[in-house]
Amino acid sequence: LEEWTYTVAWEPRPLPVDPRKASVRPPTIVRELAAEYDRLSVDHNLADYGERLPELGRLATAYIVRALHQMGWTPQIGENFDQPGLARRLVTIDRHQRLLGRLIEILNEDGFVEPQGPAWRLVRPLTGVEPEAVRAQIETSGPRSLELPLVTRCGESLAAALRGEIDPLQLLFPEGSSALTEGLYRDTPAAQVYNALAARALEAVVRELP
């Protein structure tokens, strides 16, 4: 198989129409879209969708805790740590330092750790969170979640990805397929609502251009 590398170079060019001379203004578009947003939110049950998202967050946290255990981190209550030291201990490759930092922030948001100066302190045991139990609850609590397969696939391989043993892109696009991700951008209630609003906004702009 041949590997291809593409480079995109952005070049500034003047707009064909000065946007300052257009008759439509952002506040006008917002007013036009407000009623449309209310209608779309009801049509796609956006409120119920938003209430179910924290369940996916709990599942993600469960996978984070499991991955840290799999990588050999079993801290005790009150233990202090910093991100560089934890990275060295867990053999996390350099390009995933930003990801590791975000995982620590998620543990903070969920009450497992708290800031301790420039470092962190464990305040809640990293135990008692089983991804399978959380996933089973999601599967039986409501309509099928389009995000669940992707969260599961990435969560189960999180430790391997952090160690550099697996290409994260293969988790998102196995064998180059976008089947796992297409639904997120097209079929979820949030995607349907906001994609439609983006289209309406663009239509409003184009309609008023000279």
Side-chain angles (χ1 to χ4, degrees), residues 23 43 48 50 65 103 125 139 181:
S23 60
D43 290 347
D48 180 65
V65 171
L103 300 184
E139 291 173 339
T181 56

Side-chain angles (χ1 to χ4, degrees), residues 1-207:
L1 296 178
E2 295 184 1
E3 294 186 0
W4 295 82
T5 301
Y6 298 92
T7 301
V8 177
W10 297 100
E11 298 180 359
R13 292 185 178 181
L15 292 173
V17 177
D18 187 344
R20 293 170 297 181
K21 296 180 180 179
S23 60
V24 67
R25 294 289 182 267
T28 304
I29 297 177
V30 170
R31 286 194 296 271
E32 290 182 7
L33 296 183
E36 185 75 357
Y37 171 81
D38 293 338
R39 183 186 67 79
L40 289 168
S41 297
V42 172
D43 290 347
H44 297 290
N45 204 8
L46 190 60
D48 180 65
Y49 173 77
E51 291 177 356
R52 289 187 281 115
L53 286 179
E55 297 177 347
L56 289 170
R58 289 198 306 117
L59 178 60
T61 299
Y63 278 123
I64 293 170
V65 171
R66 172 172 288 181
L68 293 173
H69 280 301
Q70 290 173 338
M71 298 175 74
W73 193 46
T74 55
Q76 302 298 314
I77 294 294
E79 179 177 327
N80 291 343
F81 66 95
D82 60 20
Q83 181 177 332
L86 185 61
R88 289 191 298 269
R89 190 186 312 181
L90 302 184
V91 199
T92 305
I93 59 178
D94 288 342
R95 70 172 180 268
H96 292 331
Q97 290 299 316
R98 186 176 175 184
L99 172 59
L100 179 62
R102 178 59 191 140
L103 300 184
I104 295 172
E105 290 174 355
I106 292 174
L107 294 179
N108 171 233
E109 293 164 3
D110 288 350
F112 287 95
V113 303
E114 65 181 15
Q116 189 69 20
W120 300 91
R121 171 174 292 177
L122 186 74
V123 296
R124 176 181 164 193
L126 289 179
T127 57
V129 185
E130 296 299 330
E132 290 76 15
V134 180
R135 189 170 66 246
Q137 183 177 358
I138 294 174
E139 291 173 339
T140 59
S141 63
R144 181 175 66 93
S145 169
L146 295 175
E147 296 89 348
L148 185 57
L150 189 60
V151 173
T152 299
R153 178 178 173 82
C154 293
E156 290 178 346
S157 299
L158 179 58
L162 286 169
R163 289 196 188 106
E165 299 169 353
I166 188 172
D167 181 1
L169 286 179
Q170 287 300 318
L171 297 176
L172 298 172
F173 308 102
E175 298 182 357
S177 170
S178 60
L180 282 174
T181 56
E182 282 182 355
L184 301 184
Y185 300 121
R186 183 188 61 207
D187 301 326
T188 64
Q192 292 179 333
V193 169
Y194 292 113
N195 287 346
L197 289 176
R200 302 293 188 278
L202 185 58
E203 288 171 355
V205 172
V206 172
R207 184 175 62 244

